Amino acid sequence: MTQKKVLANKTSVAKKGEKKPAVKNVAPKKASSKTVEEKLLLQSLRGMRDILPEDQPYWERVRRVLTHSSQEYGFQRIDTPLVEFANLFTRLIGTETDIVEKEMYSFVTRGGDKVALRPEFTAGIARAYIEHGMGILPKPVKLFSVGPVYRYDRPQEGRYREFWQGNFELYGENDPILDAQTIQLAYRVVQQLGLKNIEFQVNSIGVPESRREYSKALVRYLEAQKSKLCQNCRERLVSNPMRILDCKEDKCIQLTAQAPQSLDYLDVESRDHFKRLLEYLDELELPYTINTRLVRGLDYYTKTVFEIWSGDKDGKKYSLGGGGRYDRLIKMMGGEETPAIGFALGLDRIVLEMKRTQVKPYQEPRARVFLAQLGEMAKKKSLRLFSELEKNSILIAESFGRGSLKSQMRVANRLGAEVTIIIGQKEALDDTAIVKDMVSGTQETVTHERLVDAVKKILKTNQELKIKEVNIPRPVEEFEKE
Ligand code: HAM
């Protein structure tokens, strides 16, 4: 549990020439250049949290799988700034969306620029694609990112204000086989992470022209029963009717159950695109369902949209990721006509799901060698030997802070060290070290020059004998094969 403390701190507030705020009915306090007590809250902001060392093995596994899969599918890494001009997001994501309307962290800089913390990656990466002339690169251009994003949402379990996304974007191809391959990649990632019971939902929302017809039909259907909608959806009926399909209120879900479906209003090209995508997905035998209510909360999508859901039958379900095509976006931003598709995985939710389903986290390589020292001179020599062994790729554990050999050997035993190197007063004077094989119990005294070879020899023999009792760490590749 995080321990939250509140401490007091002295902060100077008196500034030359600063106007005092008007205070009604209160006698103004004597002007003072002294300090006032201001509370220092030792807690992270609401909806933001520290990812502590004990959780890092889960995150490390996620990072490794993301990097590995992105390379497998030919993606190149791109890192864009956390802060962009605010209108990049308002224009691209859409002014009537929840993200832009309610959830952006926007502010004006000292220089007067209106900026915002990125609420997602797609807009910033599209900006970078155009700014750096990536349109001339051989297609498809595949870009991968990972990092934090910010949405001023109502925090609860699995929903944060700062959260991490693993994001994939693919530019320059409009064939539906790329949609299938993108979904296949998303599936590959969750599978490599050891997540089971994952459901893919797909839908097509067509292009803006066909969507207008669909929107009209939806409004006609809902207008007649407007009073039964929640307050939010009554407003959406005017501003963004398709978002009503995404409402989580029971009465709205019931009301929209019989509503017209976007698939019935698709233009010929979008319909054909969707049909071919489903054929590819069937061929890949990927587990998917068609969800005709899936509209997504961002305006830039055309044709294919999809989401990845955790499949807990009884408990809470989370959307672990989502994405889709956005064939008009780059042109709309002033670039060349460039079809595109992408998706983002919510990494915080993936880690929650890994823990819930007891997936093994990444296991750090463990030190198999312990370095013990006795006496001041030996201590000095140990520090140099430590770095010598590390340079030779031998991971070392030590307990330099402890003086007694007995307590150091206790640590070595607890860590399950296979080899202990001991340097006492005599060894320090002779530039030698005792190398003790902790499995067989034998030991020998070697010169510093021979030390690395002597240690490596014992480790190699142990590896060959597949020593069980010392629990040799599993290599990373073993996780990635799962
Ligand atoms: P999105 O559906 O808004 O899509 O977000 C993707 C994922 O981020 C969600 O499925 C969810 O797992 C996670 N997520 C969203 N909000 C929160 C939150 N408040 N706390 C924790 N996790 C959250 C996009 O962001 C698009 N840019 C995806 C995309 C890329 N489309 C095309 N390319």
Side-chain angles (χ1 to χ4, degrees), residues 120 122 151 159-160 165 169 296 300-301 319-321 342:
E120 56 118 46
T122 312
R151 294 184 193 173
R159 196 201 286 155
Y160 309 102
Q165 286 190 339
E169 309 290 357
R296 310 267 305 131
Y300 47 64
Y301 292 113
S319 143
L320 300 180

Side-chain angles (χ1 to χ4, degrees), residues 89-104 119-120 122 151 153 165 203 205 211 236 240-248 293-302 304-307 309 319 321-325:
F89 302 118
T90 47
R91 296 249 187 96
L92 271 53
I93 296 171
T95 45
E96 309 291 346
T97 58
D98 283 353
I99 296 179
V100 166
E101 234 175 7
K102 303 176 191 157
E103 297 169 5
M104 284 237 292
E120 56 118 46
T122 312
R151 294 184 193 173
D153 207 341
Q165 286 190 339
N203 192 23
I205 54 169
R211 207 148 56 222
R236 284 178 180 144
N240 196 352
M242 282 174 66
R243 292 292 294 157
I244 299 174
L245 297 172
D246 212 20
C247 182
K248 305 287 176 289
R293 306 168 72 93
L294 183 63
V295 287
R296 310 267 305 131
L298 307 103
D299 273 3
Y300 47 64
Y301 292 113
T302 49
T304 309
V305 286
F306 65 95
E307 278 182 359
W309 285 81
S319 143
R325 259 197 183 275

